[in-house]
Amino acid sequence: MEAGLAALGSGSWIVRYPRHAAIIDAGCGLAAGLLAYQIRFDDNGRAPSEYLAMSLGLPVAWLVILLLVGAYDPRFIGVGTDEFRRVFNAGAFLTAAVAILSYAFKADLARGYVVIALPCLTLFDLLGRFVLRKRLHRARERGECMRRVVVVGYALVVSDIVTMLRRETYHGLLVVAACLADADPLADDLATIADVPASAGLAGIPEVVRHFDADTVAVLACPEMAGSQLRQLAWDLEKTGTDLCVAPALLDVAGPRTTIRPTAGLPLLHMDHPEFSGFKLVVKAAVDRVFALLALVAAAPLLAIIALLIRLDDGGPVLFRQTRVGKDGRGFAVYKFRTMVSDAEERKAGLAARNQSQGPLFKIRKDPRLTRLGGWLRRWSLDEIPQLLNVLAGDMSLVGPRPALPEEAAMYGDHVRRRLVVKPGMTGLWQVNGRSDLSWDESVRLDLRYVENWSLMLDVQILWKTCAAVARGSGAY
């Protein structure tokens, strides 16, 4: 399968990926049907043939429903939650259809068969699509299965987007050229920006697309490319089947907060305010504390073993207590397993010249203050388990911005203080996007993105990705 995804050609993998997805979908449908058939009818020795026929026909019905809900739309390949949401919606639709048809035709379906087959079908397919996506991401890390993109906009913004897409290859966008709105059209025809060929002016975008064999044009926010100019570009690209993407002048605002409302022929983008109160926040707080309590009880034996190992290692205290800044700027004591020598704070001043972090953070790879056990605890993020006590006390959340040090918060500008309007978290976007490998500016940007777009579903996604980030261990030092 992975070899198939790696096929050369900008468009071939876009055809192959849905085919592989359809094979997985059909296989999951067959597996769920046969599993339900085996479990439901194995005990009593009777195996009605009509249920065997239903099990064999389930993959066909499943493929049809997935096609109807748009689960094979190439726009949602490899990134975002739309693909998974559509699979889930297909499962809900199929369950509702079976229930309605059974009632309408008074069909006496075995409830045990339905209860096993349909939930397993949805779960199997979500896992199958997840594995397929991870294979695609690995192919993209090797530079394969990418869309070739021409970026249109101002030089500074184009440079930033090129740098970001090179780092986050899972988006599947390879910038092959740029058309700059703020460059002199009478200057040299070609220059480079962020090592990408760039042309001055916006008149020759279709020619640039043809020259670099691009399949997508991404127009970043710039007033020079609006109204009739953008419409003419769309008409020109339509002739070659080139996709057109337009980025609004909004920074790190997620789709759920935006709605397009046509007014007087203009597609106005309405932006909802972020939610910092209300029912969802109450649910988030309740889930945080219930999960923290259950996790502490379940991890009690592990916590006792780690505490004993720390004491035996150097005889120092087990817990490290430090003041951090929480919601609305209130200070609180954060708890972690001690991973450094007892006088680590006193030695910090002598290591200032070796600081490898930008901004107010202090980070050193292979910090000499780490104990023998401390490096291992940090590698697997076990030192952070006591923060569940902070979650239980309501000072922290499971997911949120990084808990800031007082000296760090004192250096915040007005826009950065925005991250203090929600509780800090044990994990967050910074945890699943590089941890200590991130620059100061990048970590702040991720924190602000979370604050502006947080939702219960986003929290679930971050918690899921945290497991993979901890297993990789990248950025943990």
Side-chain angles (χ1 to χ4, degrees):
M1 181 185 299
E2 195 159 358
L5 287 178
L8 297 176
S10 61
S12 61
W13 71 268
I14 299 178
V15 176
R16 290 175 180 269
Y17 187 92
R19 288 178 181 173
H20 288 294
I23 293 173
I24 289 177
D25 299 336
C28 291
L30 184 61
L34 294 178
L35 177 65
Y37 179 79
Q38 180 68 22
I39 294 176
R40 173 62 179 82
F41 300 108
D42 184 54
D43 294 338
N44 54 25
R46 293 182 293 107
S49 59
E50 59 267 26
Y51 284 96
L52 180 58
M54 288 176 58
S55 298
L56 296 177
L58 185 58
V60 178
W62 184 237
L63 289 173
V64 171
I65 292 175
L66 287 173
L67 186 62
L68 292 175
V69 300
Y72 301 107
D73 193 326
R75 293 177 299 171
F76 308 128
I77 289 178
V79 67
T81 61
D82 286 281
E83 180 182 359
F84 300 120
R85 183 164 58 246
R86 287 167 188 250
V87 171
F88 183 83
N89 290 343
F93 178 81
L94 180 59
T95 303
V98 169
I100 293 173
L101 292 175
S102 298
Y103 177 79
F105 294 99
K106 298 182 179 179
D108 188 17
L109 285 178
R111 288 188 292 272
Y113 175 87
V114 176
V115 168
I116 295 172
L118 300 188
C120 285
L121 170 58
T122 305
L123 178 61
F124 291 169
D125 208 24
L126 287 172
L127 291 175
R129 291 288 189 114
F130 176 77
V131 171
L132 184 63
R133 173 173 289 194
K134 288 304 177 183
R135 287 178 177 270
L136 177 63
H137 287 177
R138 287 195 292 272
R140 286 175 169 175
E141 288 176 358
R142 300 190 300 269
E144 302 162 351
C145 304
M146 306 289 280
R147 293 179 181 271
R148 297 175 61 83
V149 183
V150 172
V151 178
V152 179
Y154 291 118
L156 181 60
V157 182
V158 169
S159 178
D160 289 342
I161 198 69
V162 169
T163 303
M164 187 272 290
L165 291 176
R166 283 176 179 162
R167 183 177 63 249
E168 301 177 6
T169 56
Y170 62 87
H171 289 291
L173 300 177
L174 175 65
V175 180
V176 295
C179 295
L180 305 181
D182 54 343
D184 184 2
L186 299 179
D188 295 339
D189 290 338
L190 282 179
T192 59
I193 181 168
D195 296 325
V196 170
S199 62
L202 307 178
I205 296 176
E207 288 74 17
V208 173
V209 170
R210 286 192 291 270
H211 179 76
F212 289 96
D213 192 26
D215 51 42
T216 303
V217 172
V219 179
L220 308 180
C222 63
E224 289 84 355
M225 183 55 67
S228 60
Q229 294 89 346
L230 187 60
R231 181 176 57 191
Q232 183 61 52
L233 176 62
W235 290 345
D236 293 338
L237 298 178
E238 180 183 355
K239 301 172 184 176
T240 57
T242 305
D243 291 337
L244 175 63
C245 305
V246 181
L250 299 174
L251 181 63
D252 286 332
V253 177
R257 283 186 55 203
T258 60
T259 306
I260 294 179
R261 300 181 181 178
T263 303
L266 297 175
L268 298 182
L269 195 64
H270 179 82
M271 185 174 68
D272 295 329
H273 294 296
E275 297 183 83
F276 299 131
S277 61
F279 178 72
K280 290 183 179 180
L281 204 63
V282 173
V283 173
K284 177 179 171 71
V287 170
D288 282 342
R289 292 185 174 180
V290 170
F291 183 91
L293 179 60
L294 295 177
L296 283 170
V297 172
L302 177 61
L303 297 176
I305 293 173
I306 293 175
L308 178 61
L309 291 175
I310 293 175
R311 290 290 291 180
L312 293 176
D313 187 35
D314 62 2
V318 171
L319 292 178
F320 174 69
R321 183 178 181 274
Q322 189 177 47
T323 300
R324 297 293 178 99
V325 179
K327 186 176 184 295
D328 298 325
R330 293 192 296 267
F332 68 97
V334 69
Y335 296 98
K336 303 175 71 174
F337 280 127
R338 184 174 60 85
T339 58
M340 293 187 174
V341 294
S342 300
D343 60 343
E345 289 300 307
E346 288 73 14
R347 297 189 189 182
K348 181 177 177 180
L351 297 170
R354 298 174 58 183
N355 183 22
Q356 297 174 314
S357 177
Q358 300 174 346
L361 298 180
F362 184 84
K363 283 286 183 180
I364 304 175
R365 289 183 182 272
K366 298 181 179 180
D367 196 313
R369 299 172 298 167
L370 280 175
T371 64
R372 290 176 297 175
L373 182 63
W376 182 79
L377 292 176
R378 288 195 177 190
R379 166 64 177 79
W380 300 105
S381 297
L382 296 176
D383 60 315
E384 298 178 2
I385 296 180
Q387 292 178 22
L388 290 169
L389 295 171
N390 295 112
V391 176
L392 196 60
D395 295 323
M396 292 180 63
S397 177
L398 292 175
V399 182
R402 294 173 304 101
L405 292 166
E407 55 268 28
E408 179 184 345
M411 299 176 64
Y412 285 170
D414 290 340
H415 74 288
V416 183
R417 293 194 66 83
R418 179 76 166 176
R419 67 194 297 276
L420 300 180
V421 301
V422 300
K423 293 179 182 178
M426 290 184 63
T427 185
L429 288 176
W430 48 274
Q431 175 84 324
V432 301
N433 284 280
R435 303 162 84 176
S436 296
D437 288 337
L438 296 172
S439 67
W440 161 253
D441 291 337
E442 183 67 12
S443 62
V444 168
R445 187 180 69 84
L446 290 173
D447 282 340
L448 292 178
R449 181 195 295 179
Y450 175 81
V451 171
E452 294 298 312
N453 303 292
W454 85 267
S455 68
L456 298 175
M457 183 55 66
L458 179 59
D459 284 1
V460 172
Q461 295 173 26
I462 291 174
L463 289 171
W464 172 264
K465 291 182 178 181
T466 297
C467 299
V470 171
R472 290 194 306 269
S474 58
Y477 58 88

